[in-house]
Amino acid sequence: MSSSPITNELLHALFIIAIAAEAMTAALAAGRREMDWLGVCLLGSITALGGGSVRDLLLNHHPLSWVAHPSYLLITGGAALVTIALARFIHSLRHLFLFLDAVGLVVFTIIGCDIALGLNLPWGIAIVSGMITGCVGGVLRDVLCNEVPLLFRAELYATVSIVAGALYVGGQMLDLRHEAVTGGALAIGLALRLLALRFGWSMPKFVYTKNLH
């Protein structure tokens, strides 16, 4: 299936917005851990670009996105630094950042799936590739901040990525129009994530409190 230039441009524009937003939320996490300015920049870039980097390393897909496009490092590092200056005002924009985070999750997922499909990998690997792209950056952020990763909590996050990825990969395999497949995966994935945030939807938790000794 041939992709539309307009669709690709839209995805790229959303990708740039998403990596900037991810870097800014990571900068706030760095601030809560009292990191210095270099740490803020590094955490912002790792969070925004880490998922794609891990995906590319696992799939032997080179060059890495930030190596091919060094401007991504400037965007993420710059966004993280801007956050330092705007930190006192950002809390009032919390809902906007949650929305942009949801957009980023779905866009990263679709891009990850598309790269795997471009390498002629099986559909299951493509969906996992999308999930890695969408979720691993946040895992790296949480690990570096010594927190339990959001991915491993009950909140619907990885599940949203899997659903969006499955819709995109399924549409591609059925040879549907690229614009419809991309738009459908974006809309459904974004709606699912926002509804989960609004109504507190979550996966069942496993709770075990007994000691084996």
Side-chain angles (χ1 to χ4, degrees):
M1 179 192 306
S2 59
S3 59
S4 165
I6 296 177
T7 305
N8 289 339
E9 289 176 8
L10 174 61
L11 279 177
H12 186 258
L14 291 175
F15 173 80
I16 295 300
I17 294 171
I19 60 172
E22 293 289 339
M24 294 181 78
T25 55
L28 295 176
R32 288 191 291 269
R33 292 297 180 182
E34 300 182 1
M35 296 185 186
D36 62 22
W37 286 23
L38 177 59
V40 170
C41 287
L42 287 175
L43 190 66
S45 296
I46 289 170
T47 302
L49 304 173
S53 297
V54 171
R55 174 207 65 220
D56 288 342
L57 290 172
L58 291 174
L59 300 183
N60 196 28
H61 177 254
H62 299 287
L64 305 184
S65 62
W66 54 271
V67 175
H69 305 281
S71 59
Y72 293 170
L73 293 175
L74 295 177
I75 292 169
T76 55
L81 284 178
V82 167
T83 306
I84 296 175
L86 300 179
R88 69 183 68 178
F89 307 109
I90 286 180
H91 184 73
S92 61
L93 302 174
R94 177 176 178 272
H95 293 295
L96 174 61
F97 277 96
L98 287 174
F99 174 78
L100 292 177
D101 178 75
V103 171
L105 172 64
V106 181
V107 169
F108 294 163
T109 296
I110 290 174
I111 291 173
C113 291
D114 200 55
I115 287 175
L117 291 174
L119 297 173
N120 297 316
L121 295 172
W123 63 267
I125 300 300
I127 294 173
V128 172
S129 172
M131 185 182 68
I132 289 171
T133 310
C135 301
V136 168
V139 172
L140 295 174
R141 175 201 62 216
D142 293 340
V143 168
L144 291 172
C145 291
N146 197 29
E147 297 177 357
V148 177
L150 179 64
L151 182 66
F152 304 141
R153 300 177 215 164
E155 192 172 325
L156 289 188
Y157 201 81
T159 305
V160 172
S161 180
I162 292 172
V163 170
L167 289 171
Y168 182 79
V169 172
Q172 293 277 41
M173 293 179 67
L174 293 173
D175 202 27
L176 302 178
R177 290 186 63 229
H178 187 262
E179 295 87 348
V181 172
T182 304
L186 273 172
I188 294 174
L190 181 59
L192 180 58
R193 175 60 180 156
L194 293 178
L195 287 171
L197 288 170
R198 173 65 179 83
F199 296 106
W201 294 346
S202 62
M203 294 292 287
K205 294 181 180 180
F206 174 61
V207 179
Y208 187 82
T209 57
K210 293 183 179 180
N211 197 321
L212 294 178
H213 300 288

